[in-house]
Amino acid sequence: MGQDYYAILGLTRSVIDADIKKAYRKLALKYHPDKNHELGAPEKFKHIAEAYDVLSDPRKKAVYDQFGEEGLKNGVPEGSGESGAWTDGYTFHGDANKVFREFFGGDNPFNEFFDGLDGDLSMGFGGLAGRGRKKQDPCIERDLTLSLEEIFHGCTKKMKISRRVMNEDGHTSSIRDKILTITVKKGWREGTRITFPKEGDQGPNNIPADIVFIVRDKMHPRFQSEENNLVFTAKVLLGKALTGCSVAVPTLDGRLLNIPINDIIRPGYEKVVPGEGMPISKNPTSKGNLIIRFDIEFPRQLTPEKKTLIKEALLS
């Protein structure tokens, strides 16, 4: 037989959310291992935390009420069940102190709560003398992958999120979708962070997390970005590397640059074309540079006659 979460908290199935909070508050303070040194108190404290973790969450509670602990932990069919899809099974994370901290607020609320406390452990929903504080959930980070063209020109991205939202009754919640709009500015660098405050899951005892999108560069077929510069690698034959050539570079805005190379292209040589890189985000009318690097293609073989000509040209 599975655990009876209601019995663990001393409740009946007709309870409301406020009753669940009150019961957890009383029992968590009573059986906290720092206060209660009786044998079995730590295990009791953990069971209390798991029971609250389930019953305080409307989705988990609904599954538990209908299917019991087995259905909650093994998963149940979604919707009508005809699609063959099952919900993910629930597993308690095992950290009873984490539940305690999140409920009361602060990293170490326990010492404060027990100062001068004895006898009856019941109290109002605000905690002792209003010390129960909501704590904001850790921020949620997501990648925002952008092409160089999107960063070069700027664009608008629509990001769909699903989050838990409290219903008007203040006790239950539901999952709703929301569209977050990101206006991508010209020249944003990889690592730029865009924050949407408090757009995470809502709950009765938490401050919703901030959602943070972090810009990541999408691999480009022609260019690499280095800060505000664009790097283009040109393949040239050894003969042209020694005698001069012209490099054609298709730009991100549809132009074709023909860059003459009059210097000898030696290992490590770079050609810098000013103002043909990425826009600078703080001043989009200015741009970084285009840096042309070279991949010199050597001949795979030479005839004796060509070897002689090269020796005469290079060694004379």
Side-chain angles (χ1 to χ4, degrees), residues 150-154 185-189 192 227-228 278-281:
E150 289 173 324
I151 299 174
F152 186 89
H153 296 287
K185 295 182 180 180
K186 295 181 180 181
W188 270 359
R189 292 187 186 179
T192 297
E227 296 185 345
N228 296 316
M278 295 295 287
I280 298 173
S281 59

Side-chain angles (χ1 to χ4, degrees), residues 139-211:
C139 71
I140 301 169
E141 296 184 348
R142 295 185 178 180
D143 288 345
L144 175 63
T145 303
L146 300 173
S147 68
L148 288 182
E149 285 83 358
E150 289 173 324
I151 299 174
F152 186 89
H153 296 287
C155 65
T156 299
K157 304 291 284 188
K158 302 285 188 180
M159 309 300 292
K160 181 180 178 181
I161 63 169
S162 296
R163 62 176 188 154
R164 189 174 68 190
V165 178
M166 295 300 297
N167 297 325
E168 292 182 359
D169 60 15
H171 302 297
T172 60
S173 63
S174 55
I175 300 298
R176 299 179 189 174
D177 293 336
K178 183 172 183 178
I179 302 296
L180 301 179
T181 301
I182 301 174
T183 301
V184 178
K185 295 182 180 180
K186 295 181 180 181
W188 270 359
R189 292 187 186 179
E190 186 170 41
T192 297
R193 299 169 68 90
I194 307 97
T195 301
F196 290 87
K198 301 179 182 178
E199 290 289 357
D201 287 341
Q202 297 177 358
N205 297 309
N206 74 307
I207 299 173
D210 295 342
I211 295 182

Side-chain angles (χ1 to χ4, degrees), residues 252-310:
L252 293 175
D253 56 359
R255 294 173 295 129
L256 183 65
L257 301 178
N258 284 292
I259 310 299
I261 309 297
N262 299 316
D263 300 323
I264 293 175
I265 302 174
R266 58 192 179 279
Y269 173 82
E270 295 180 345
K271 178 69 174 180
V272 177
V273 184
E276 289 292 348
M278 295 295 287
I280 298 173
S281 59
K282 294 183 179 179
N283 183 15
T285 58
S286 299
K287 296 178 182 177
N289 300 325
L290 169 65
I291 300 174
I292 302 176
R293 294 175 182 162
F294 296 89
D295 180 7
I296 301 173
E297 296 186 88
F298 284 75
R300 295 188 176 182
Q301 58 184 10
L302 293 170
T303 63
E305 292 79 7
K306 289 182 178 179
K307 288 181 180 180
T308 299
L309 291 173
I310 291 173

Side-chain angles (χ1 to χ4, degrees), residues 86-103:
W86 285 59
T87 62
D88 293 331
Y90 164 75
T91 301
F92 181 54
H93 52 67
D95 189 349
N97 283 314
K98 178 175 182 288
V99 177
F100 188 84
R101 289 193 302 269
E102 290 178 351
F103 182 88

